């Protein structure tokens, strides 16, 4: 048996069988006992590669997402025994882990005691105290957003798409659970106390499970895959999205790289002009114009690749430079990818030339417009997204004829 297990191909097939048996309904205990020899020594990279292979072979991403907690449980013992890569302050992995420690501390020292107090008293005051702690925990969105918008694009570049899609789906489940919990606490009713306690505990467990999966699967796999320059890019763009509960105290400066040095255009290049049908502009003028539009724009080319986004001061939706060159489908949560696919299909076929959406985000009323961009011959060359907060426009009344 050991000779066969040492054969890489046979081992991979056995590991795939482990997950397949879980999806057929076998218990964690049964699978661990049956495959204990092959499970021993598995790495996070192996586990992610196996999940990716199964997805490539037709296993639904949502099915993998549904049972990813079970996968982690089967391999937990082996993964925990692996030597974790060393990280240093300022490195994105170190920051992710420090945030996880802060999340755990907040849960254990603030949220769990508040839950016990609410369980005993059932009072409105204790519910509002719990609400304060949940509001702070909702900062976790920044942690997940950095993971999804900065780390995942690089993994996808190396063909690792399955695990990020699955994890993004779970992140969204956690976001929704926190949002629903917050709404229930705002409108607290003593009759809903037990429901709130159960919902809160389920949410906390899911968050803690995600921490385990990040630190034992995702981050080690990313460290095995990404280059130092890619980690530097992630670090440099992290400030734009923000951090959860803590912030890195220092920037990471690998000795071999001068991260302060920025590439600049030569004087000759900066003086060049781009000719349009209706005028000429310098590249820096074009950039300044786009960045000062009263709305955000993003352009996706005919192959669904993100080519450009405007860098306006108060963007409604976060964008980072890592999305450039990335498939637009990977820039959206799994739950909304089908909408993106249908929209692009309608634009490419000529069925539609534009589509509008509008949603409320806090005090913003966001108007999202999509336009099919075609060349002079009518051929589809890409899609333009235009996003604007129209709340101030909707509030306009009367007339203004003079300068303020």
């Amino acid at each position: 048996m050991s000779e066969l297990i040492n054969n890489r191909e046979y081992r991979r097939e056995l590991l795939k069988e482990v997950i397949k048996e879980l999806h057929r309904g076998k218990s964690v205990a049964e699978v661990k006992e049956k495959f204990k020899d092959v499970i021993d020594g598995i790495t996070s990279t192996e586990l992610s590669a196996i999940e990716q292979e199964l997805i490539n072979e037709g296993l639904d991403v949502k099915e993998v997402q549904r049972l990813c907690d079970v996968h982690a449980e089967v391999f937990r013992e082996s993964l925990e025994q692996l030597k974790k890569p060393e990280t240093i302050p300022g490195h994105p992995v170190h920051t992710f882990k420090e945030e996880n420690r802060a999340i755990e501390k907040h849960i254990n020292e603030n949220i769990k005691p508040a839950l016990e107090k609410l369980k005993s008293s059932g009072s409105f005051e204790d519910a509002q105290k719990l609400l304060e702690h949940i509001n702070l925990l909702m900062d976790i969105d920044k942690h997940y957003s950095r993971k999804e918008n900065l780390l995942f694009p690089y993994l996808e570049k190396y063909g690792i798409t399955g695990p990020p899609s699955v994890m993004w789906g779970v992140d969204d489940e956690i976001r929704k659970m926190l949002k629903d919990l917050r709404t229930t606490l705002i409108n607290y009713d003593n009759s809903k106390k037990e429901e709130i306690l159960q919902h809160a505990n389920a949410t906390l467990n899911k968050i803690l499970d995600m921490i385990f999966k990040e630190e034992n699967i995702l981050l080690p796999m990313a460290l095995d895959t990404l280059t130092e320059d890619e980690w530097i890019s992630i670090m440099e763009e992290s400030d734009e999205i923000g951090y959860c509960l803590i912030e890195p105290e220092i920037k990471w400066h690998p000795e071999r790289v001068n991260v302060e040095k920025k590439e600049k255009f030569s004087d000759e290049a900066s003086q060049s002009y781009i000719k349009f049908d209706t005028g000429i502009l310098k590249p820096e003028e074009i950039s300044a114009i786009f960045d000062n539009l009263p709305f955000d724009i993003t352009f996706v080319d005919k192959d669904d690749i993100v080519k450009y986004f405007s860098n306006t001061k108060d963007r409604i939706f976060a964008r980072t430079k890592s999305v450039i060159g990335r498939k637009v489908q990977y820039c959206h949560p799994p739950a909304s990818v089908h909408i993106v696919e249908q929209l692009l299909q309608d634009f490419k076929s000529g069925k539609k030339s534009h589509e509008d959406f509008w949603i409320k985000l806090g005090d913003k009323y966001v108007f999202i417009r999509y336009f099919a961009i075609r060349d002079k011959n009518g051929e589809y060359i890409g899609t333009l997204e235009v996003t604007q907060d129209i709340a101030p426009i909707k509030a306009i009344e009367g007339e203004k004829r003079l300068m303020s």
Side-chain angles (χ1 to χ4, degrees):
M1 180 69 173
S2 61
E3 292 176 359
L4 291 173
I5 290 176
N6 287 331
N7 180 287
R8 181 178 295 177
E9 186 66 29
Y10 185 75
R11 174 180 168 80
R12 186 164 66 246
E13 290 305 312
L14 279 179
L15 288 169
K16 286 164 70 174
E17 191 60 28
V18 172
I19 294 178
K20 286 178 181 177
E21 293 229 352
L22 290 171
H23 285 259
R24 294 185 193 115
K26 291 289 182 68
S27 71
V28 169
E30 286 178 296
V31 173
K32 286 178 78 171
E33 177 59 29
K34 183 175 179 180
F35 294 97
K36 60 184 178 182
D37 289 330
V38 72
I39 288 172
D40 185 41
I42 188 173
T43 67
S44 58
T45 304
E46 275 186 293
L47 178 54
S48 295
I50 296 303
E51 288 182 338
Q52 181 68 58
E53 275 193 37
L54 289 169
I55 290 169
N56 293 344
E57 291 171 8
L59 187 60
D60 188 21
V61 171
K62 291 182 179 177
E63 177 65 4
V64 178
Q65 179 182 320
R66 185 178 70 84
L67 285 176
C68 66
D69 289 344
V70 180
H71 298 177
E73 184 58 33
V74 169
F75 300 107
R76 183 183 296 268
E77 214 172 283
S78 181
L79 289 170
E80 285 179 332
Q81 290 172 357
L82 293 174
K83 184 179 179 181
K84 306 298 188 298
E86 294 292 329
T87 58
I88 57 176
H91 189 290
V93 172
H94 183 273
T95 302
F96 277 126
K97 288 187 174 183
E98 286 297 295
E99 286 178 317
N100 283 340
R101 300 294 78 77
I103 291 166
E104 290 170 339
K105 182 177 180 181
H106 184 55
I107 287 173
N108 292 326
E109 296 184 6
N110 297 316
I111 296 180
K112 287 187 176 180
L115 281 170
E116 286 300 315
K117 200 166 183 184
L118 180 63
K119 182 179 180 181
S120 300
S121 71
S123 72
F124 179 81
E125 290 74 16
D126 286 337
Q128 297 312 292
K129 190 63 181 176
L130 175 60
L131 175 60
E132 289 179 21
H133 297 314
I134 295 300
N135 282 338
L136 190 56
L137 183 60
M138 291 189 77
D139 217 31
I140 203 170
D141 176 66
K142 296 172 187 173
H143 178 94
Y144 292 160
S145 185
R146 290 204 328 280
K147 182 174 63 175
E148 295 154 358
N149 293 295
L150 296 178
L151 180 55
F152 287 178
Y154 286 111
L155 292 175
E156 289 155 7
K157 187 179 81 172
Y158 292 99
I160 303 170
T161 59
S165 294
V166 171
M167 192 169 281
W168 196 334
V170 178
D171 289 346
D172 279 349
E173 288 177 9
I174 292 171
R175 288 182 173 109
K176 185 177 186 307
M177 292 171 80
L178 281 170
K179 185 178 178 181
D180 291 346
L181 178 59
R182 180 176 181 274
T183 300
T184 309
L185 287 168
I186 289 172
N187 305 297
Y188 180 69
D189 180 341
N190 183 264
S191 65
K192 297 288 183 69
K193 184 183 77 170
E194 288 304 319
E195 179 184 329
I196 288 172
L197 294 174
Q198 289 178 11
H199 187 151
N201 283 312
T203 305
L204 299 182
N205 287 337
K206 210 163 193 67
I207 290 171
L208 295 173
D209 280 344
M210 177 55 73
I211 289 175
F212 172 83
K213 283 178 277 193
E214 284 180 359
E215 299 194 358
N216 292 279
I217 300 174
L218 177 70
L219 295 178
M221 175 179 62
L223 283 167
D224 287 344
T225 306
L226 272 58
T227 66
E228 189 172 77
D229 287 340
E230 288 166 338
W231 284 117
I232 291 170
S233 295
I234 290 172
M235 177 192 68
E236 289 179 336
E237 295 196 65
S238 290
D239 287 348
E240 185 173 336
I241 293 175
Y243 304 92
C244 173
L245 300 179
I246 59 99
E247 289 195 16
E249 295 181 4
I250 61 172
K251 289 285 186 182
W252 172 50
H253 294 274
E255 290 184 8
R256 71 172 188 85
V257 177
N258 178 8
V259 296
E260 298 300 328
K261 184 178 181 182
K262 303 293 182 182
E263 183 179 355
K264 297 180 180 178
F265 290 106
S266 67
D267 290 340
E268 181 181 350
S270 67
Q271 294 303 316
S272 63
Y273 286 88
I274 296 176
K275 186 178 183 297
F276 299 94
D277 289 343
T278 54
I280 58 172
L281 292 168
K282 295 178 183 178
E284 59 265 34
E285 290 173 334
I286 297 170
S287 181
I289 289 169
F290 283 173
D291 290 348
N292 283 279
L293 292 172
F295 43 78
D296 306 333
I297 63 173
T298 302
F299 179 71
V300 177
D301 73 7
K302 63 184 178 65
D303 298 315
D304 304 342
I305 302 298
V306 181
K307 297 291 284 291
Y308 173 82
F309 65 88
S310 59
N311 192 25
T312 47
K313 184 175 67 172
D314 299 310
R315 282 201 65 90
I316 295 170
F317 298 115
R319 292 281 190 277
T320 58
K321 291 177 184 176
S322 61
V323 304
I324 302 301
R326 186 184 185 198
K327 280 274 188 182
V328 69
Q329 289 87 344
Y330 296 150
C331 299
H332 291 78
S336 63
V337 169
H338 68 287
I339 298 174
V340 176
E341 292 278 14
Q342 186 61 56
L343 180 66
L344 294 174
Q345 184 179 327
D346 288 346
F347 282 0
K348 291 174 183 177
S349 69
K351 182 179 178 181
K352 290 182 179 180
S353 290
H354 85 277
E355 184 70 77
D356 297 339
F357 301 89
W358 47 93
I359 58 175
K360 290 191 174 181
L361 291 177
D363 58 355
K364 292 183 173 68
Y365 197 5
V366 183
F367 191 30
I368 310 166
R369 312 195 74 188
Y370 294 93
F371 300 91
I373 306 300
R374 307 186 193 281
D375 63 18
K376 292 181 179 179
N377 299 317
E379 294 293 323
Y380 173 81
I381 59 174
T383 293
L384 182 69
E385 177 194 74
V386 180
T387 306
Q388 184 175 16
D389 176 14
I390 59 172
I393 298 174
K394 286 177 64 64
I396 292 175
E397 294 181 349
E399 296 182 350
K400 178 185 177 184
R401 294 175 178 269
L402 300 174
M403 292 179 61
S404 301

